Amino acid sequence: QPTLVWLRNDLRLTDHPAIAAAAERGGEVICVYIFEETDALRAKGGASLWWLDKSLRALRSDISSLGGKLICRKGDPEKIVPALVEETKATSVFWGRRYGKAEREIDGRIKQALQDNGIDARSFNTTLLTEPWQIETGSGGYYKVFTPYWKAVRESYEAPSTLPRPEKLGGMGVNGERIEDWALHPTQPYWSEGFATMWTPGEAGAAARLSDFLDHGVRQYEDMRNRPDCDGTSGLSPHLHFGELSPVQVWRAVKSRIDSGLQPESSAWSFLSEIVWREFSYVLLYFNPDMGWENYNPKFNAMPWKKDSASLTAWKKGQTGYPIVDAGMRQLWARGWMHNRVRMIVASFLTKHLLIHWRDGEDWFWDTLVDADPASNSSGWQWTAGSGADAAPYFRVFNPITQGQKFDVSGRYVREWCPELKDLPTKYLHAPWTADPETLKRAKVDLGTTYPKPIIDHAEGRERALTAWEALKEKQ
Ligand code: FAD
């Protein structure tokens, strides 16, 4: 009596509650991936498709080394899952839960239909430490502020013990589609060639990155996490998004280092608190299913956002004339990823200096980030724009010059991504227009030709944003 395990954003075999439960049941375990084509779901962005393509190939090979086959199908899951049950004579279908509204509705209908037909359809938590409804405030309801949420998780969370990796998988006799035929990998435009220099999608790549971070990064995390010039963060976000690694595995690994005396302990806890930011974003998404497109704080519905496609394009292309902003946007394009500090700087620049709606920025990130995530992306944007839960206040306008000087201290980050500025002395690097003509000439920088002049004056942009905010407050 076979069990189908429908894998979605939990593309791993180790420590996978649905796979482990299927294996324990006995009988053939058949892993299925469905590329969902339905209008109800937001289409994946180009960078996510690049990752998915590679991750599925890695998973296919891992499954094959256990004697099985990853069954891939494309189309409407509400038709495909019952058809697969019929074809394989499966009596159980297991999967990991998803937390977006449309996904929950689809999964709920499928579960109901299967159960109506006598199939044991069960879902599991495969991607979070704790599910959004599990941790409540003292007075009931979900946490809307991060710090007490983090405190509650830190005090109460105990990672469950590791689940065994299956010894054998099935599915050999079942027909599937070839991942190659899906042509997920975007070729028009073909911008993703640089991604492979940074990333190894798949469970093995995720495990290697975690182990490297535990050996070399976690001790310095607290000091280095804000430094885009120092590779001070884990780079685990796409692996976590695709579930090649679960936060439970991360928690367990870090906690065991803490228990064996890792110093400074505060650095490891600071890293775990970021893992819990991800959880907090899922809490917000679960209880505010429209968070990807609606302001969490409705006050922002009256914000006089500007329609300014020329500035939006300059921002996307890394041509704003502010080196730290441009470096970040170019890193995003070339690697499918951007450092968190720089994400905040570029998002603040878009929503404040340029007064462009956070949704335009969220959309661009959705298409270009390999870790594009419905919960973390919208909460990151709304946090920076000021419209989110526990958000940075709108009047906190990041200064792209001093942020660059403070966090890209050595200038390594800007020099890497804006090589046309590499010969500028560090003291001018984050504000090239302040250099005297002789220095600019020596560095072969011709502002307006080799590198843009600022598309908006910092003080002017800041004032305009604050005036819009004041007007908004008065309207309430
Ligand atoms: P580390 O510092 O090593 O952190 C470890 C893990 O904790 C990350 O992999 C991630 O899963 C989680 N994490 C860290 N910071 C945050 C945070 N602020 N919010 C939620 N989770 C966090 N993260 C995404 O995973 N997907 C997104 O689409 C996304 N969009 C963002 C958009 C904006 C405007 C901003 C400001 C932040 C966004 N983030 C997003 C959060 C954060 O920038 C990334 O998670 C982080 O940069 C990933 O790098 P890392 O794995 O090296 O992080």
Side-chain angles (χ1 to χ4, degrees):
Q1 295 192 327
T3 302
L4 295 182
V5 180
W6 178 17
L7 299 170
R8 295 96 73 84
N9 53 348
D10 43 10
L11 303 177
R12 67 178 184 282
L13 302 179
T14 311
D15 217 351
H16 192 296
I19 294 179
E24 201 179 301
R25 220 188 132 246
E28 191 181 10
V29 178
I30 304 173
C31 293
V32 177
Y33 183 83
I34 301 172
F35 188 86
E36 290 168 87
E37 288 185 313
T38 148
D39 292 341
L41 298 180
R42 184 177 189 183
K44 288 189 195 306
S48 298
L49 290 173
W50 178 87
W51 192 285
L52 178 66
D53 179 60
K54 307 280 170 290
S55 188
L56 286 177
R57 291 176 199 227
L59 182 67
R60 177 175 66 186
S61 131
D62 292 345
I63 290 176
S64 137
S65 70
L66 296 177
K69 177 175 169 187
L70 174 65
I71 309 303
C72 293
R73 296 275 171 100
K74 191 178 202 175
D76 181 352
E78 294 187 49
K79 298 201 175 99
I80 294 175
V81 174
L84 275 169
V85 166
E86 180 88 18
E87 280 170 55
T88 57
K89 305 282 174 269
T91 52
S92 309
V93 183
F94 294 172
W95 63 73
R97 282 189 279 279
R98 307 190 277 192
Y99 304 94
K101 186 165 178 260
E103 288 84 351
R104 280 191 280 136
E105 285 172 357
I106 292 171
D107 295 351
R109 284 195 297 271
I110 294 177
K111 192 185 248 179
Q112 190 63 55
L114 290 172
Q115 287 175 344
D116 289 349
N117 281 311
I119 304 291
D120 175 18
R122 263 189 267 165
S123 60
F124 298 80
N125 169 12
T126 58
T127 56
L128 293 176
L129 298 175
T130 55
E131 295 190 278
W133 53 86
Q134 284 181 315
I135 296 191
E136 291 195 328
T137 64
S139 51
Y142 69 97
Y143 279 92
K144 300 177 183 73
V145 180
F146 176 72
T147 307
Y149 177 75
W150 160 232
K151 203 164 162 268
V153 175
R154 184 176 166 164
E155 279 166 9
S156 64
Y157 185 70
E158 291 280 350
S161 29
T162 311
L163 295 165
R165 193 178 163 90
E167 283 169 13
K168 193 172 168 0
L169 290 168
M172 289 311 288
V174 187
N175 283 334
E177 296 169 37
R178 273 166 39 93
I179 301 159
E180 289 75 6
D181 294 340
W182 289 352
L184 296 175
H185 194 288
T187 52
Q188 287 297 333
Y190 182 54
W191 87 95
S192 51
E193 62 213 302
F195 291 11
T197 61
M198 180 163 176
W199 305 110
T200 310
E203 194 172 347
R209 196 174 271 268
L210 174 62
S211 138
D212 185 55
F213 179 71
L214 291 173
D215 290 344
H216 304 113
V218 71
R219 281 181 194 79
Q220 286 95 40
Y221 183 78
E222 203 173 17
D223 294 334
M224 292 302 178
R225 59 177 292 267
N226 274 309
R227 293 280 302 274
D229 55 340
C230 290
D231 281 348
T233 67
S234 70
L236 286 171
S237 51
H239 297 292
L240 283 164
H241 170 74
F242 284 91
E244 299 164 351
L245 181 75
S246 81
V248 178
Q249 292 171 290
V250 175
W251 184 282
R252 209 188 278 125
V254 174
K255 189 64 182 22
S256 96
R257 299 276 170 136
I258 294 175
D259 294 344
S260 13
L262 179 136
Q263 290 295 334
E265 201 182 294
S266 59
S267 193
W269 284 111
S270 149
F271 174 68
L272 289 178
S273 80
E274 295 304 322
I275 296 289
V276 172
W277 260 108
R278 176 176 177 273
E279 304 270 315
F280 183 58
S281 303
Y282 272 92
V283 172
L284 296 176
L285 177 73
Y286 181 79
F287 289 104
N288 304 276
D290 299 340
M291 202 176 75
W293 56 95
E294 290 288 350
N295 291 309
Y296 177 89
N297 175 354
K299 203 189 265 186
F300 277 75
N301 293 349
M303 190 72 177
W305 302 113
K306 286 173 78 66
K307 282 267 163 243
D308 178 354
S309 60
S311 296
L312 180 60
T313 304
W315 178 81
K316 287 180 181 174
K317 293 194 161 168
Q319 296 288 344
T320 66
Y322 286 93
I324 191 75
V325 174
D326 294 341
M329 298 309 292
R330 296 179 196 187
Q331 180 185 33
L332 173 63
W333 182 252
R335 298 287 180 266
W337 184 88
M338 192 196 300
H339 188 279
N340 180 59
R341 167 62 47 180
V342 192
R343 291 189 202 201
M344 294 193 286
I345 299 170
V346 304
S348 171
F349 188 80
L350 187 79
T351 54
K352 297 177 185 178
H353 288 83
L354 300 180
L355 214 58
I356 291 177
H357 204 303
W358 60 262
R359 236 185 262 139
D360 289 316
E362 197 272 349
D363 225 37
W364 183 247
F365 271 31
W366 181 260
D367 202 19
T368 53
L369 275 173
V370 287
D371 64 26
D373 184 89
S376 302
N377 198 27
S378 53
S379 83
W381 274 96
Q382 295 226 39
W383 184 90
T384 320
S387 61
D390 197 12
Y394 186 84
F395 57 77
R396 182 172 166 210
V397 179
F398 280 78
N399 177 332
I401 305 154
T402 51
Q403 287 281 313
Q405 290 163 341
K406 190 163 167 208
F407 296 110
D408 180 23
V409 183
S410 62
R412 213 185 104 200
Y413 185 71
V414 161
R415 287 197 176 88
E416 178 174 1
W417 296 107
C418 302
E420 65 272 44
L421 301 175
K422 73 177 183 345
D423 295 327
L424 265 185
T426 304
K427 73 173 185 177
Y428 301 118
L429 193 62
H430 293 285
W433 61 92
T434 57
D436 55 88
E438 194 44 43
T439 305
L440 287 172
K441 198 166 164 213
R442 264 202 310 274
K444 296 180 273 322
V445 176
D446 181 2
L447 288 178
T449 309
T450 60
Y451 182 73
K453 293 180 179 162
I455 57 171
I456 185 160
D457 174 70
H458 164 61
E460 212 178 286
R462 183 173 185 281
E463 273 320 300
R464 188 175 67 174
L466 294 180
T467 309
W469 168 240
E470 286 304 323
L472 187 68
K473 273 201 320 195
E474 276 161 25
K475 274 194 208 157
Q476 309 299 317

